[in-house]
Amino acid sequence: MAKILIIDDERAIRSTLREILEYEDYDVEDVDNGVDGLQLIEKKDFDLVLCDIKMNRMDGMEVLTEGLALKPDLPFIMISGHGTVETAVEASKKGAFDFISKPPDLNRLLITVRNALDRGSLVVEAKVLKRKVSKVRPILGESQAILKIKETIDRVAPTDARVLVTGANGSGKELVARWLHEKSNRSNAPIIEVNCAAIPSELIESELFGHEKGSFTSAIKQRIGKFESANGGTLFLDEIGDMSQSAQAKVLRALQENKITRVGGEKEIEVDVRVVAATNKDLLKEIEAGNFRMDLYHRLSVILIHVPPLTDRKDDIGLLTQSFLDEICNEYGMPVKKISDAAMDALKALPWTGNIRELRNMVERLIILSDKTITDNDVRAFANPSAPVVAIEGGNAAPQTDFDQFNNFQEYKDFAEREYIKFKLEKNNWNVSKTADDIDIQRSHLYSKIEKFGLKRGE
């Protein structure tokens, strides 16, 4: 039942409006002045306000302005016995949904009330849906490194300075880029993402700058590139260290001149784009090896943000784990599972080669395979899902791994990564695309891992 507030200093008008609206099954409250009306608006959740313009103690226009400051999405219908076109226009400019003259026509009043309530519901639904589809998760963590990143984002985002985000795979570089866009003056424009590692080198220029019809064999029509698509917004170049040399040269020119030329075209097109780049590579080493242009590096790295691996911010694991527990259990429509202190300590002791992405996958696995409370035995049992399992005291299971076989930490990380990828591939019947989506990496990266570790179907 919709709740409506009537603010009018005429008792007869309040009584008439109340009688009409209550007959239509609305929940109605009324007051005779704007001051009391604002107090009610602040304390209670109304779906609609009917407000007189000429009142004692506080003018209706003031009530409208202050009421919308308190509840920006609350619809106001202004009513007045001295209605003029100028008054109606002024009310609309201040944010009123509609304006009705006294004495109100019954049919017009009810239609306007119904429309205002429908509009209010649509605004709320739109905001809920926007939150649901938004990919911008909060940056979770209270470690010094994360607090420094948040502070840097707040300082840098409102500017147009280019940012280079570095860090290991799964550490959250994309999230940093999204928040730089979200907190910028370009947030109403699009953020366009390009994974430079996932696009073949011969197609990267067409992807970035577009092409004209007939510029190459398969160019059957003109195509707009990512730079043009991001015009007025942000272009996020992920894995910039994997970009070809020829594409690097064109990107450098675009950054220098704010102009691009489509492949096969001659016309220069002006673009207003803020570029944020990210890489998991050491670009200075890539420059020494001749794989990356130094001048492009300096163009991109006006601001440098390094996202630390999870092993360098283990104090944040508790906060991240609890957030993932809440999120995933809600997605599955189940009560949120608890996690014991010993289990949390066991999580903090793991190597976390896959960083935040790996932690989320681990939490999801624990939610599915554990009982109501996640224990340290659960963590040990499911940390390496493809390791052989043996029974331990208490009837729980734990993986049997001979850690003496590893000469150093890197050998163990490679072993764990190989076994995890192998497990996921076998679980998905060696469907590479599905597995890449499942573990949240690019398909081209997964093919590289399969080749690196010599994985074969049915081995």
Side-chain angles (χ1 to χ4, degrees):
M1 183 186 295
K3 294 180 66 175
I4 299 176
L5 174 64
I6 301 169
I7 307 174
D8 197 305
D9 58 1
E10 294 183 52
R11 180 186 294 274
I13 292 292
R14 291 202 312 276
S15 299
T16 302
L17 292 174
R18 184 177 193 122
E19 184 177 345
I20 293 169
L21 295 172
E22 286 184 338
Y23 182 80
E24 295 292 323
D25 288 333
Y26 295 119
D27 183 6
V28 182
E29 290 191 42
D30 65 85
V31 292
D32 62 1
N33 66 87
V35 176
D36 291 343
L38 286 173
Q39 289 178 352
L40 283 174
I41 289 171
E42 187 173 10
K43 291 177 183 177
K44 299 185 178 183
D45 290 324
F46 291 101
D47 299 296
L48 175 66
V49 176
L50 294 171
C51 184
D52 189 18
I53 290 181
K54 299 294 182 181
M55 293 187 296
N56 298 323
R57 296 184 64 184
M58 180 179 281
D59 183 80
M61 291 298 188
E62 292 180 64
V63 177
L64 171 64
T65 302
E66 294 191 26
L68 290 177
L70 291 169
K71 303 282 179 69
D73 298 327
L74 181 60
F76 272 76
I77 296 175
M78 308 304 292
I79 50 180
S80 175
H82 311 281
T84 63
V85 173
E86 290 77 12
T87 308
V89 169
E90 184 185 357
S92 296
K93 284 182 178 180
K94 288 181 179 291
F97 176 79
D98 207 342
F99 176 90
I100 295 177
S101 298
K102 291 181 181 179
D105 175 81
L106 175 59
N107 289 327
R108 180 162 189 265
L109 171 68
L110 292 177
I111 290 171
T112 304
V113 166
R114 201 171 297 124
N115 289 341
L117 291 171
D118 288 344
R119 180 253 190 187
S121 298
L122 288 172
V123 168
V124 172
E125 286 176 16
K127 288 193 172 184
V128 170
L129 288 172
K130 187 176 180 181
R131 282 197 297 270
K132 284 185 177 179
V133 301
S134 174
K135 294 183 180 178
V136 188
R137 299 169 176 268
I139 298 176
L140 297 174
E142 298 297 332
S143 61
Q144 284 300 314
I146 295 302
L147 293 176
K148 181 65 176 176
I149 288 173
K150 291 178 181 178
E151 180 187 346
T152 303
I153 290 173
D154 288 339
R155 285 175 176 270
V156 173
T159 72
D160 274 341
R162 299 183 194 104
V163 182
L164 178 62
V165 187
T166 61
N169 285 332
S171 57
K173 300 187 296 296
E174 180 184 346
L175 190 58
V176 171
R178 284 189 167 277
W179 275 112
L180 284 166
H181 174 75
E182 193 71 15
K183 293 194 171 187
S184 74
N185 299 325
R186 299 170 177 264
S187 58
N188 290 327
I191 175 171
I192 303 297
E193 300 177 30
V194 182
N195 190 312
C196 303
I199 303 170
S201 57
E202 61 271 16
L203 296 178
I204 186 71
E205 292 180 40
S206 172
E207 189 76 16
L208 290 173
F209 308 110
H211 61 249
E212 299 292 351
K213 181 179 178 181
S215 55
F216 49 87
T217 306
S218 60
I220 58 175
K221 62 180 181 179
Q222 184 190 74
R223 179 179 179 180
I224 301 298
K226 301 299 186 184
F227 265 89
E228 284 183 82
S229 299
N231 193 36
T234 303
L235 181 64
F236 176 43
L237 299 176
D238 198 8
E239 305 300 351
I240 187 78
D242 294 298
M243 183 180 285
S244 66
Q245 289 275 1
S246 59
Q248 289 178 36
K250 288 197 171 185
V251 168
L252 178 63
R253 179 177 176 273
L255 297 181
Q256 287 173 332
E257 302 177 10
N258 294 321
K259 294 178 182 178
I260 58 109
T261 304
R262 297 189 191 122
V263 175
E266 297 180 357
K267 178 184 175 184
E268 289 188 334
I269 302 166
E270 289 193 9
V271 288
D272 172 24
V273 172
R274 191 221 191 136
V275 172
V276 177
T279 182
N280 63 351
K281 294 185 174 181
D282 185 336
L283 289 187
L284 294 178
K285 288 185 178 179
E286 293 297 309
I287 291 169
E288 289 178 11
N291 298 325
F292 201 82
R293 296 178 62 114
M294 181 177 288
D295 46 5
L296 177 58
Y297 172 80
H298 289 305
R299 283 281 174 181
L300 292 171
S301 60
V302 176
I303 302 292
L304 276 168
I305 297 179
H306 178 69
V307 184
L310 192 55
T311 49
D312 288 353
R313 43 179 292 217
K314 290 197 172 184
D315 288 344
D316 290 335
I317 288 177
L319 182 62
L320 289 162
T321 300
Q322 191 57 56
S323 174
F324 292 147
L325 281 171
D326 294 342
E327 177 186 326
I328 296 167
C329 287
N330 287 331
E331 286 177 3
Y332 286 160
M334 64 170 66
V336 177
K337 292 193 174 184
K338 295 180 180 179
I339 183 166
S340 70
D341 292 340
M344 193 66 76
D345 291 339
L347 284 176
K348 291 178 180 179
L350 293 172
W352 297 119
T353 54
N355 293 293
I356 312 296
R357 186 181 296 140
E358 183 186 6
L359 175 60
R360 192 187 189 282
N361 289 341
M362 166 72 82
V363 172
E364 185 170 6
R365 190 185 312 141
L366 290 169
I367 288 170
I368 295 169
L369 299 176
S370 68
D371 292 327
K372 290 182 179 179
T373 299
I374 298 168
T375 67
D376 54 329
N377 286 333
D378 291 326
V379 175
R380 287 194 293 270
F382 308 127
N384 184 2
S386 62
V389 174
V390 297
I392 64 172
E393 187 179 352
N396 292 306
Q400 182 67 45
T401 302
D402 178 14
F403 292 104
D404 288 333
Q405 66 179 299
F406 308 114
N407 295 319
N408 53 55
F409 185 48
Q410 186 60 48
E411 282 189 12
Y412 171 73
K413 287 201 296 184
D414 289 342
F415 167 80
E417 189 174 359
R418 181 187 190 279
E419 293 301 306
Y420 177 66
I421 290 173
K422 179 184 173 185
F423 169 79
K424 285 292 188 179
L425 285 166
E426 290 174 351
K427 180 181 177 182
N428 293 317
N429 197 26
W430 272 79
N431 184 322
V432 176
S433 295
K434 188 174 187 306
T435 303
D437 288 340
D438 196 13
I439 63 178
D440 197 20
I441 67 171
Q442 294 293 330
R443 187 169 54 181
S444 58
H445 286 184
L446 182 54
Y447 277 119
S448 298
K449 298 290 185 184
I450 292 170
E451 184 177 352
K452 174 184 175 181
F453 296 126
L455 295 172
K456 295 180 181 178
R457 188 168 190 165
E459 67 172 0

